[in-house]
Amino acid sequence: METQSEEMLQTQSHQPPPGRTFLPGEASAAGTIFPISVKATVTVKLTDGGFFSSLLGLCNPLINLSDLLCKSLLLELVSAELELRTGSERRPISQYAHRVGQKDGDVIYQSEFVIPENFGEIGAVLVQNEHRNEIYLKYVIIHGLPNGPITFYCDSWVQSKFDNPEKRIFFSSKSYLPSQTPSALKIMREKELINLRGNGDTDNLASDRIYDYDVYNDLGNPDNKPELGRPVLGGSKNYPYPRRCRTGRPRSQTDPLSETRSGSFYVPRDEEFSDVKEAAFITKIVETVLHALIPSLETALLDSDLGFPLFSNIDQLYYEGIPIPKLQNPGLLQLILPRIVKAVSDAKDLILKFETPAMFQRDKFSWLRDEEFSRQTLAGVNPYSIKLLMEWPLKSTLNPDVYGPPESAITEELVEREIKGFMTLDEALEQKKLFIIDYHDLLIPYVSKVRQIKGTTLYGSRALFFLTPDGTLKPIAIELTRPPIDGKPQWKQVFTPVSEATGFWLWRLAKAHFLAHDSGYHELVSHWLRTHCAIEPFVIATNRQLSVMHPIYKLLHPHFRYTMQINALARQVLINADGIIETSFSTRNYSMELSSVAYHQHWRFDKEGLPAGLINRGIAVEDPTAPHGLKLLIEDYPFANDGLMLWDILKQWIAEYVSFYYKDASMVESDTELQEWWTEIRTKGHEDKKDEPWWPVLKTPEDLIGIITTIAWVASAHHSAVNFGQYAFAGYFPNRPSIARTNMPCEDPTEEGWKRFLDNPEFELLLCFPSQIQATKVMATLDLLSSHSPDEKYIGEHMEAAWGEEPDIKEAFERFRARLKELEKIIDDRNADNSLKNRGGAGMVPYELLKPFSEAGVTGKGVPYSISI
């Protein structure tokens, strides 16, 4: 194998230095004699397997021959200037690069060029891969220029010329608005965008870099079983939805509106989890958990309806574990999931033994306390649902002829009984002390449908809370409603926290039902719809309409890392027909349909930013004298308090960045790429809402700052708040069951059923909880989804290379990072403040989900730039 000495490799300086652009005319002004010789160093990532296995001994003769002939990579240097006399493009300078060695997991190539006089600034590098396999190109550095080296940051897969003969374009790291693009690069800039858009006519290959839109027509699998057919989401008034990435797969034979699920789920090549070792770690975890572990669980737990007979059996998941059959590759599973998969000493089986969730570890009985039930609406994994009670009396907006009387059973007398000693109902409404989480109208239309599925049930539900003088919430009531069904009239009942034995157990069961509904809403709406799903059109539009040279592309790019890949994996195994969501959550086969309804009724881009969202829920009011310009009605609201600080820090960084490039409104309005980007997001990415009047206009730098801050917030902080605490709070599923399987014992009770409840109410609660297979599938999945990967990129931790090109941007980023570090300390101080009862206390999980930084693993903190898991 070809190698080089440490000293020789160091002299090649293959680590990118601070960029320096070679400006036209500067070299000759400095007295440089032309032509001059420069050296190009190319750094390629050594990947796991594939092409570089050949380089290291697993030889493909064609590849080795290419290296021996010194024609492994063809480089062409492109001038940023046109010919002065003719106005035509200058002829590129071409050379082959040869491999000179490897270092630190990278393979180094070099080539030498002779730069003629008046060549001007080097604006781009064209690369052609002479190998038979793709390569991952990190960067190209041009050494020997009079004013220092130029670095071209690539971070992209380059296909073999035998698969794609077109040369890849890589521009320098300098940012240009479209009108400022050097004249010789304008055509290349436009051509690259055209290539990324594709023509929409062909099946996309795994190696393609095409970004296009499609509806969600691949969730069902009617060709496999008719009952696995699902409606197309998007493109209709019945099922509006954001768009996903187009794959180009053929149509289903059974349902011509649906796309077949055969083959891979295409995402553009550079959006995939990288094949470098640490990023491949994520892929292997996802594939192993979802394709190996869960089928093994289903084999071990033969009865899919079998519940847990005792609470001690649930505890055994953490203390003793579940034996599961040997897998084909148990070593890989144990290697990458050491948290939950243990080897058995007799080597006959593996043990699925779950790590103790943070909440269970601190206080295994905390889930029983009403105070903790209420606290988690403010400092748990779904802090987005609670809102101010704005209308009284409570009343459904659904058709009473179909769903029964609209009036709620929560009466004035009931509320006043629960808040007696504090104030009257009128006073509570006037002083804004009543809050609600209301899933009644969203769920009621699905109750009859879901109840036809074996082993589950559903209600419309709402929960009412009172803000006590000590700043904590007191649960007042939970209402469960069943619409008219099977000839029976509407049934509804209100449950309250009481000390009397029967009412006490009915309250526990009502909480289990409501929490199952909240868990489903959290996964389908707060998490999937509002982050993963809603952001994907922004990823597509950014790549289709904003050149990589565009400063806004460079600002947004880290916020989109891995999102399309993780969404494709979700379509494969999480949100698909008969996937984990459908088999384990309350709304079952109608889960994604329900998320379409939520998109139609509730999703508005102008309310997705944190301040606007809090105001929209009535949780905050505008107050110029208050911190962040908002006054919180619940002062000790951990998510909102930490979130508002993070929002301001994020917005300030974005404002400084945007203001550097856009000095006034005319620069925003005249930016053709930016305007096309915003138009496409509205008219194609979120096409089903294109005519809504609430879309922000994009005319000024302030408009742009608001839009970008919202996108960045959703991709980073919003997702972190609803994702990385999942295992901490739902890993012990009695705290947040994913599904309720049995009706309330007081709904049309039989004499035998009511007696069974009275004799053993604990057993009835265990029957209501998820089955063993449902619980363990969800637990394994939440453990995975709550994990930070080793190569996670947290906001403000490391500066993007392109941002360091401009001193003003670099200084702004340093301020951004410093503020985030200050926020870390502020959150720690808040959690140590005993007066903030919603943040901490004996046995409570402190609120850390918006602490910016984290180590790898399940930590319950850390805010990555992007939705990467």
Side-chain angles (χ1 to χ4, degrees):
M1 180 182 70
E2 183 180 353
T3 59
Q4 283 197 324
S5 69
E6 184 78 9
E7 179 181 358
M8 189 171 181
L9 283 172
Q10 286 177 347
T11 61
Q12 292 159 1
S13 301
H14 70 280
Q15 290 297 326
R20 175 66 172 93
T21 303
F22 175 33
L23 297 177
E26 284 189 341
S28 57
T32 303
I33 300 175
F34 283 93
I36 60 172
S37 295
V38 300
K39 182 183 293 184
T41 300
V42 183
T43 302
V44 176
K45 188 66 181 179
L46 185 62
T47 59
D48 290 339
F51 153 54
F52 278 108
S53 294
S54 303
L55 292 185
L56 296 177
L58 303 175
C59 298
N60 180 325
L62 292 173
I63 294 174
N64 275 350
L65 177 61
S66 174
D67 274 319
L68 290 172
L69 294 175
C70 301
K71 293 185 177 180
S72 51
L73 293 174
L74 174 64
L75 303 182
E76 293 186 1
L77 305 185
V78 179
S79 174
E81 299 178 23
L82 299 174
E83 287 278 2
L84 294 177
R85 289 177 297 175
T86 64
S88 59
E89 295 179 5
R90 297 180 188 272
R91 185 175 181 179
I93 309 170
S94 302
Q95 277 294 347
Y96 285 99
H98 58 280
R99 185 167 57 91
V100 296
Q102 67 180 76
K103 183 183 178 184
D104 299 331
D106 295 333
V107 175
I108 314 302
Y109 290 82
Q110 281 189 351
S111 61
E112 295 187 357
F113 295 86
V114 176
I115 308 293
E117 189 173 5
N118 297 325
F119 186 76
E121 179 182 0
I122 300 173
V125 174
L126 301 181
V127 179
Q128 188 170 62
N129 175 12
E130 300 284 319
H131 294 290
R132 294 280 179 179
N133 297 73
E134 65 179 0
I135 62 171
Y136 188 79
L137 184 59
K138 293 179 68 177
Y139 38 77
V140 178
I141 308 172
I142 312 297
H143 303 275
L145 295 168
N147 296 284
I150 306 177
T151 302
F152 295 82
Y153 296 97
C154 307
D155 289 320
S156 180
W157 292 97
V158 179
Q159 300 305 314
S160 166
K161 73 173 186 180
F162 302 101
D163 296 322
N164 186 351
E166 190 166 348
K167 299 182 182 73
R168 283 292 306 279
I169 305 168
F170 295 102
F171 299 103
S172 71
S173 54
K174 188 173 181 180
S175 296
Y176 295 100
L177 297 178
S179 61
Q180 300 166 345
T181 309
S183 52
L185 301 180
K186 287 183 177 180
I187 294 176
M188 283 190 174
R189 179 173 182 150
E190 294 170 2
K191 180 181 178 182
E192 177 71 352
L193 286 173
I194 291 171
N195 289 340
L196 291 169
R197 293 170 194 149
N199 57 26
D201 293 334
T202 59
D203 293 351
N204 292 334
L205 304 176
S207 59
D208 284 343
R209 298 167 55 245
I210 295 173
Y211 295 80
D212 202 356
Y213 301 95
D214 207 344
V215 293
Y216 278 75
N217 60 358
D218 63 346
L219 301 177
N221 192 2
D223 289 346
N224 186 14
K225 293 179 181 178
E227 58 267 29
L228 295 181
R230 295 293 180 269
V232 174
L233 303 185
S236 69
K237 291 183 178 180
N238 290 334
Y239 302 110
Y241 218 56
R243 299 301 190 260
R244 64 164 175 89
C245 178
R246 178 184 175 275
T247 67
R249 288 177 299 187
R251 297 288 179 172
S252 161
Q253 295 180 356
T254 307
D255 177 12
L257 296 178
S258 296
E259 188 175 85
T260 179
R261 291 176 58 84
S262 62
S264 62
F265 280 57
Y266 165 83
V267 296
R269 185 65 180 97
D270 287 338
E271 300 296 335
E272 293 186 20
F273 293 149
S274 179
D275 281 348
V276 299
K277 184 177 181 180
E278 287 185 339
F281 180 86
I282 308 172
T283 310
K284 290 175 182 175
I285 287 179
V286 173
E287 292 178 347
T288 304
V289 169
L290 302 180
H291 296 301
L293 178 59
I294 287 175
S296 183
L297 280 171
E298 292 170 341
T299 302
L301 304 172
L302 297 177
D303 185 353
S304 61
D305 296 325
L306 183 65
F308 291 87
L310 300 168
F311 276 95
S312 59
N313 297 120
I314 300 174
D315 297 350
Q316 287 176 5
L317 295 173
Y318 315 105
Y319 301 141
E320 299 178 15
I322 299 175
I324 58 175
K326 276 281 189 178
L327 306 176
Q328 290 184 349
N329 191 353
L332 176 62
L333 189 60
Q334 289 174 257
L335 174 66
I336 64 178
L337 288 176
R339 287 172 45 81
I340 62 174
V341 178
K342 315 292 182 185
V344 182
S345 57
D346 61 10
K348 291 182 179 179
D349 288 314
L350 293 175
I351 286 289
L352 180 68
K353 184 178 177 182
F354 288 91
E355 197 78 8
T356 307
M359 199 198 82
F360 183 81
Q361 189 173 39
R362 287 173 176 266
D363 181 358
K364 66 180 292 184
F365 301 111
S366 62
W367 69 280
L368 293 168
R369 293 189 294 109
D370 288 340
E371 295 83 0
E372 181 64 13
F373 166 61
S374 299
R375 185 185 82 92
Q376 288 182 27
T377 67
L378 306 174
V381 76
N382 185 28
Y384 275 95
S385 284
I386 192 163
K387 59 185 180 180
L388 179 70
L389 181 63
M390 302 181 196
E391 295 182 358
W392 184 266
L394 294 171
K395 190 174 182 179
S396 171
T397 60
L398 299 176
N399 185 349
D401 294 336
V402 177
Y403 301 109
E407 293 79 15
S408 170
I410 301 177
T411 63
E412 179 178 352
E413 294 75 19
L414 185 149
V415 173
E416 293 203 333
R417 184 179 74 230
E418 294 300 316
I419 64 173
K420 186 178 180 181
F422 291 107
M423 58 185 68
T424 66
L425 172 62
D426 288 340
E427 290 170 336
L429 290 169
E430 183 180 356
Q431 296 179 34
K432 299 182 178 180
K433 299 294 184 181
L434 292 174
F435 297 85
I436 191 169
I437 298 177
D438 196 344
Y439 302 132
H440 180 278
D441 284 10
L442 184 65
L443 294 178
I444 280 289
Y446 293 96
V447 170
S448 177
K449 299 175 184 178
V450 168
R451 287 192 175 204
Q452 295 176 31
I453 301 171
K454 178 186 175 183
T456 190
T457 190
L458 189 64
Y459 294 98
S461 65
R462 51 170 67 103
L464 196 61
F465 302 87
F466 173 72
L467 182 63
T468 66
D470 69 358
T472 61
L473 289 176
K474 167 185 167 60
I476 292 177
I478 293 173
E479 181 180 26
L480 300 179
T481 303
R482 181 205 69 198
I485 185 174
D486 297 332
K488 300 177 183 178
Q490 182 195 70
W491 175 91
K492 65 178 68 167
Q493 188 164 333
V494 179
F495 304 89
T496 58
V498 295
S499 56
E500 174 266 323
T502 301
F504 173 79
W505 277 101
L506 288 173
W507 169 248
R508 278 188 176 175
L509 280 160
K511 279 203 300 185
H513 280 274
F514 174 79
L515 285 166
H517 305 160
D518 189 65
S519 294
Y521 185 88
H522 160 254
E523 291 294 0
L524 290 166
V525 182
S526 301
H527 186 186
W528 164 257
L529 173 65
R530 294 182 62 182
T531 66
H532 288 260
C533 183
I535 283 292
E536 184 157 340
F538 291 89
V539 184
I540 299 171
T542 299
N543 283 276
R544 285 169 54 89
Q545 298 298 341
L546 297 183
S547 166
V548 294
M549 306 172 79
H550 200 291
I552 299 304
Y553 175 94
K554 295 179 189 293
L555 178 60
L556 285 173
H557 186 253
H559 289 290
F560 298 152
R561 180 175 183 253
Y562 293 160
T563 300
M564 293 181 74
Q565 175 71 86
I566 200 66
N567 285 1
L569 285 167
R571 301 203 321 271
Q572 284 181 267
V573 292
L574 287 174
I575 61 173
N576 60 301
D578 208 33
I580 292 172
I581 295 292
E582 283 200 0
T583 57
S584 304
F585 283 79
S586 291
T587 44
R588 297 296 298 268
N589 302 0
Y590 303 94
S591 295
M592 292 303 291
E593 184 178 324
L594 180 137
S595 75
S596 169
V597 173
Y599 176 70
H600 171 66
Q601 294 180 355
H602 304 304
W603 190 87
R604 290 179 50 159
F605 179 81
D606 64 327
K607 304 299 183 185
E608 290 302 291
L610 180 61
L614 292 171
I615 293 170
N616 187 51
R617 288 191 281 132
I619 296 290
V621 293
E622 292 187 79
D623 182 352
T625 66
H628 322 292
L630 291 181
K631 179 183 178 182
L632 291 173
L633 299 186
I634 304 174
E635 293 182 5
D636 183 13
Y637 188 175
F639 161 72
N641 282 309
D642 295 356
L644 285 169
M645 286 200 70
L646 184 51
W647 169 273
D648 282 356
I649 292 169
L650 192 61
K651 185 174 183 179
Q652 188 169 354
W653 149 244
I654 291 169
E656 291 184 55
Y657 185 100
V658 169
S659 299
F660 179 80
Y661 291 101
Y662 296 92
K663 306 302 182 185
D664 54 43
S666 65
M667 295 184 71
V668 172
E669 292 188 278
S670 63
D671 186 334
T672 53
E673 287 184 5
L674 189 68
Q675 294 299 330
E676 285 297 323
W677 168 78
W678 187 233
T679 297
E680 183 166 294
I681 285 168
R682 293 177 287 115
T683 61
K684 289 189 176 181
H686 286 274
E687 183 177 347
D688 297 333
K689 287 182 174 281
K690 68 180 187 299
D691 296 323
E692 296 288 354
W694 41 254
W695 283 103
V697 297
L698 181 51
K699 294 183 178 180
T700 67
E702 290 71 28
D703 296 337
L704 181 57
I705 290 166
I707 289 167
I708 299 298
T709 305
T710 298
I711 296 169
W713 167 265
V714 172
S716 58
H718 180 150
H719 180 257
S720 295
V722 299
N723 182 73
F724 291 108
Q726 291 187 91
Y727 193 73
F729 289 103
Y732 182 66
F733 66 84
N735 183 60
R736 285 186 66 78
S738 64
I739 192 170
R741 298 188 297 150
T742 59
N743 293 343
M744 290 291 292
C746 51
E747 181 197 338
D748 302 332
T750 63
E751 184 176 341
E752 178 185 357
W754 185 250
K755 183 177 185 303
R756 186 174 63 244
F757 163 67
L758 294 177
D759 289 345
N760 195 345
E762 180 179 304
F763 183 69
E764 291 300 307
L765 179 60
L766 287 163
L767 282 179
C768 184
F769 281 155
S771 68
Q772 291 189 33
I773 183 60
Q774 288 171 331
T776 49
K777 278 200 300 186
V778 171
M779 289 164 65
T781 304
L782 296 185
D783 183 87
L784 161 67
L785 297 180
S786 301
S787 298
H788 290 294
S789 71
D791 70 336
E792 196 81 88
K793 290 189 176 182
Y794 302 97
I795 55 169
E797 186 174 36
H798 300 294
M799 183 166 54
E800 292 290 298
W803 299 344
E805 295 294 313
E806 296 288 353
D808 288 357
I809 299 298
K810 184 176 181 180
E811 290 175 8
F813 179 82
E814 294 298 341
R815 291 190 291 271
F816 176 47
R817 176 160 49 193
R819 295 184 195 109
L820 291 169
K821 290 181 177 179
E822 291 174 7
L823 176 60
E824 289 251 315
K825 185 178 185 306
I826 290 170
I827 291 175
D828 287 338
D829 291 343
R830 286 173 171 175
N831 287 333
D833 187 343
N834 293 329
S835 69
L836 300 177
K837 293 181 170 55
N838 293 323
R839 296 200 73 101
M844 290 167 57
V845 178
Y847 192 75
E848 298 184 313
L849 289 171
L850 294 180
K851 288 186 72 172
F853 310 117
S854 175
E855 59 275 7
V858 179
T859 65
K861 59 184 178 181
V863 181
Y865 277 108
S866 65
I867 303 164
S868 57
I869 188 65

